[in-house]
Amino acid sequence: MRALVQRVTEARVSVDGEIIGQTGPGLLILICAMQGDDTARADAMAAKIAKLRIFQDSAGKMNLSLKDIGGSALVVSQFTLAADTRSGNRPGFSAAAPPAEGRALYDHFTASLRAQGVACETGRFGASMQVALINDGPVTLWLDV
């Protein structure tokens, strides 16, 4: 699985002008299931993200996890994270998992993150979404598991 994780003070996702998911202080997680991914990888990604120490402690050091601060997450599916731009000007997305498989892994990842004790809301798989956020730091990490 591949994720782009952003530390945010707030984030929201809308479909057709309606907010369908949001978070306060915590993480915006853009997630993509890749060819060959399975539920074990989704579980590993959820565990990694829940424990990432990217929030500041009282000394100003990135030493606290999402769970430590009691933060929440907004999880948005984004197959374009699988883009291959090495050749030509049009990205290829063949490295992404097929839609049915991607949806199942997206749902599994979100359930696994919740099982880690992280409150989370989601976007709508396969929908055209608008995402708004205030990146805190900014802190943005690319993760492959």
Side-chain angles (χ1 to χ4, degrees):
M1 292 199 92
R2 180 169 287 167
L4 185 72
V5 177
Q6 296 181 299
R7 188 176 77 185
V8 298
T9 56
E10 63 183 68
R12 68 183 176 279
V13 60
S14 303
V15 174
D16 296 328
E18 177 188 346
I19 296 172
I20 61 168
Q22 58 191 351
T23 187
L27 297 176
L28 170 62
I29 304 167
L30 304 174
I31 192 88
C32 178
M34 307 291 285
Q35 290 280 346
D37 282 347
D38 56 17
T39 57
R41 282 204 176 144
D43 290 338
M45 182 67 85
K48 177 80 170 175
I49 290 172
K51 296 173 188 168
L52 268 178
R53 297 183 337 178
I54 60 172
F55 294 90
Q56 293 181 344
D57 63 15
S58 60
K61 300 221 185 266
M62 287 198 303
N63 207 22
L64 300 175
S65 71
L66 185 61
K67 290 171 61 172
D68 293 333
I69 68 158
S72 58
L74 175 58
V75 181
V76 177
S77 63
Q78 189 168 352
F79 81 94
T80 59
L81 291 177
D84 181 354
T85 58
R86 292 176 289 182
S87 175
N89 295 316
R90 184 172 184 264
F93 302 105
S94 61
E101 192 177 311
R103 178 186 298 265
L105 288 168
Y106 170 72
D107 291 341
H108 186 88
F109 168 80
T110 304
S112 186
L113 193 58
R114 287 183 179 127
Q116 293 283 329
V118 175
C120 60
E121 294 193 14
T122 64
R124 184 173 300 147
F125 188 92
S128 177
M129 297 174 276
Q130 293 72 49
V131 179
L133 69 136
I134 298 176
N135 193 315
D136 182 25
V139 175
T140 301
L141 302 172
W142 182 277
L143 303 173
D144 284 306
V145 173

